Amino acid sequence: MDAANPEAGAPTPGLFARARAFVGRLPRKTLILLGGLLALGLLGLFLIWLLVGRGLPDAASLANYQSPLPTTLRSSDGTPFHSFTRERRIYLPYAEIPPVVVQAVTSAEDKTFFEHSGLDYAGILTAVWTNIQSLGSDKRPVGASTITQQVAKNLLLNNDVTIARKVREALLAKRIEQQFTKEQILELYLNEVFLGRNAYGIEAAAQSWFGKPAAELRAEEAAFLAGLLKAPSNYNPRTNYARALERRNYVLGEMANNGFLTQAQAGALKASPIETTTGGVANRQAAVGGYFIEEVRRQLIEKFGEDAEDGPNSVYAGGLWVRTTIDPVIQAAAEKALRNGLLRYDSGRAWRGPPATIELGDGWEGRLRTAPVGAGVPDWRIAVVLAKDGSGMTLGFSDGTKGRMANGDAMRARNGSPAWQLLKPGDVIPVARIAGNAYGLRQIPEVSGAMVVQEPQTGRVLAMVGGFDVKGSSFNRATQAQRQPGSSFKPFVYAAGLDNGMTPASIVSDAPYCVYQSRSLGTKCFRNFSGGYAGAQTMRWGLEQSRNLMTIRIAYNSGMDNVVKLAKDLGIGSYQPVLAIALGAGETTPMKLVNAYSMLMNNGKAVEPLLFDMVQDRNGKLLFRADPRPCEGCLAARWQGQAMPRPRDTRRQVMDARTAYQVTHMMEGVVQRGTATVLRSLEVPIAGKTGTTTGPKDVWFVGGTPTMVAGLYIGHDKPRNLGGLQGGTFAAPIWRQFYTEAFKDNPQEPMPFIAPAGIRMVRVDRRSGRRVYGAWPSMDPKSAVIWEAFKADSEPRRIYRTADDLKALQPVQPKARVKSDSDFLRQQGGIY
């Protein structure tokens, strides 16, 4: 202890003691004032929490947040070919975000992102001072939001420009910083932000603007995308190149100031132009399968919901992965064949005028893109007439490019006037390139139709075409059009006959047949398409030649109750048991009819049309599998010589397998000798049936091989006469073109239809149906002896006869008088 300074050795009072001493020396009034201010401050904080902070979302809820992701469709071979999206987004984990993107974004939006704790206080003070200076003006208030605040606003709040929202945003930003790392926050941000062209997130934006993944972005490209964060529409180089260039160069300068680039590098990059793609990878969708895709979308929405509020696995937000059944090659072949058939029918007919008209002026490209006109044919384009002059007209396309159409390339006439005289600016028309920048006028057919291709063993739909083009008409005629199938329904009448004691060799009379309906309706008489009669013939011959009168007799003798029951069991439709139904007067859809044929060719096993056979969520978890059968042993660790595991066949037997095969075997004769001989040269086993309805208003062909069934019809949406078309001369050739195109690179093996147990193949005389000995069937389609399919114990009995006896047994053909339709109508009354 220092004697001169007795307090030198005394302990120093603590901070709390000194503060208490200081407060003790204050006047009482000052203490009351300070206490009141403290209470007011605490009350203010409470009121802020009560009015602003109360009810704030919990930052922890972000841990379970999932970005809206599109549903992706894969083809049957696993290749992605389409996506359902309102916000085109491809989620990218932070580890896969390239550093140059992080550098560009933080330089443009939040240079102190990795240092601050959620709020940039210096920026806030600057923004406050700027807003005070702009009071009374129309300027939008300046913000100082950090990336964390933008995450809070984008994901958990709204975009209102209010002080209350900014306070809530700041409070929530602090919570987010406490809950997540900087990398997690930046990952959320860079996968959520909108960057123009309907691209959300940096990966989708990179593909949309530059046609490449984000991992391949160069520094100047990353700077351009970072510049879009402020306002994508304001910095679109296509509409405002100068502003876009200025903004990109500002970001490059900030990257240099922050040490990510040298000044020399930044200067060189600033001198480079902005080069973006016109559409980008992300805009490319399937060029085929429009109707198939739309039907898949409808079924997925029905099963999983449409938007995020419908559940975590919704179509437009759930990020589903869907393995569809579409075969792209078969789909393209079906579309090409059907469209060519429609164009062939429409060729030579008058021009019907432009299918749509739009307003010209600024934004005409966007209006053209949304015009309800689909080109259909791959080398067609939809154009709008921009201007006309003496020699032709200027055309505009949806991508902003232009073309030229000479008057001589628009000569298709309407009421005697060529189209080039009638067209006017604003008209939307389909055109096809002739040469260079010259185009010629085309016309979308008025007649329409549908085609469905199915795998008979599984029900998987390999292709579906619901019209000329889905953009021009979203009405899917494959699944929605209720049409009369005409003679393509007859195989099911014959099946009912076979189920009720008849055989393919049974003799049926092809002669006039009339039915008294009622006192008011009178007598209804039926007739064959040709109007003539052939006398007594085999059941097989009646189906091959599509004889109406024989079909009516088979239906009557079998019982129409049995016919309509079979039609219902096969899913064709629910009908009244009237004889007209036997000739295809009941309505059905192409999809239902093709599915029924699949069951015939699958020996009567039930199948359902499948457009997708597997659905997984965004993480790969299985949500749906079309084949639910257990497969014991399929997941065995290794093979040790055990038998191959096979799932049990649990499908329902809808009809007698033997009957199904007999009908299929008879339908092979339709191709070999009957109404579909145009298909015979394909030289593969094909069974099928043509159809021509009254008028004719629709023409059909449905048929297939052991591994594929396809069916199509052609007709107007409001049924009316098609002229002289027939199923065998118009629909069957379309089917032939489809088959040739679909399998030209992968020819089908000529596999025969497999007969089920209980079928006996017997040699019979083709015309009489009688059993034959000593002669064998030949390769000639019109061989006198053929193999016929009989159920056990129903085949003709063995009878020994000489060659002269066999000759004598040949039926004597009556001299049929072929009457004209007018003669028959006058003599017999109404017809079907």
Side-chain angles (χ1 to χ4, degrees), residues 32 96 110 184 280 293 468 573 691 816:
I32 294 173
E96 298 180 25
D110 189 355
Q184 290 173 320
I293 291 168
F468 190 76

Side-chain angles (χ1 to χ4, degrees), residues 681-752:
S681 60
L682 292 175
E683 296 183 348
V684 293
I686 297 174
K689 185 68 186 74
T690 57
T692 307
T693 65
T694 301
K697 295 177 181 177
D698 293 307
V699 292
W700 292 77
F701 181 78
V702 187
T705 68
T707 59
M708 179 276 298
V709 176
L712 69 105
Y713 89 91
I714 302 292
H716 293 281
D717 287 342
K718 291 184 178 179
R720 65 175 189 266
N721 200 305
L722 291 171
L725 299 192
Q726 295 181 33
T729 58
F730 196 82
I734 294 175
W735 198 100
R736 175 188 168 86
Q737 182 191 344
F738 150 73
Y739 186 90
T740 304
E741 185 77 18
F743 300 104
K744 63 181 179 182
D745 297 324
N746 185 26
Q748 283 196 311
E749 293 292 331
M751 296 171 50

Side-chain angles (χ1 to χ4, degrees), residues 379 404-406 408-410 431-442:
D379 58 353
R404 182 77 182 169
M405 184 166 69
D409 295 322
V431 296
R433 189 190 302 273
I434 297 175
N437 205 32
Y439 292 83
L441 180 66
R442 298 294 183 265

Side-chain angles (χ1 to χ4, degrees), residues 159 270 346 409 508 572 814:
N159 204 32
K270 287 180 181 179
D346 194 66
D409 295 322
V508 182
I572 301 172

Side-chain angles (χ1 to χ4, degrees), residues 31 98 136 162 191 220 232 238 272 402 411 451 553 563 593 614 623 702 733 749:
L31 289 175
T162 63
N191 281 290
E220 69 274 20
R238 184 175 173 184
S272 65
K402 296 180 181 180
M411 294 298 294
M451 188 170 191
R553 280 187 166 83
V563 173
L593 192 60
M614 182 181 292
L623 299 176
V702 187
E749 293 292 331

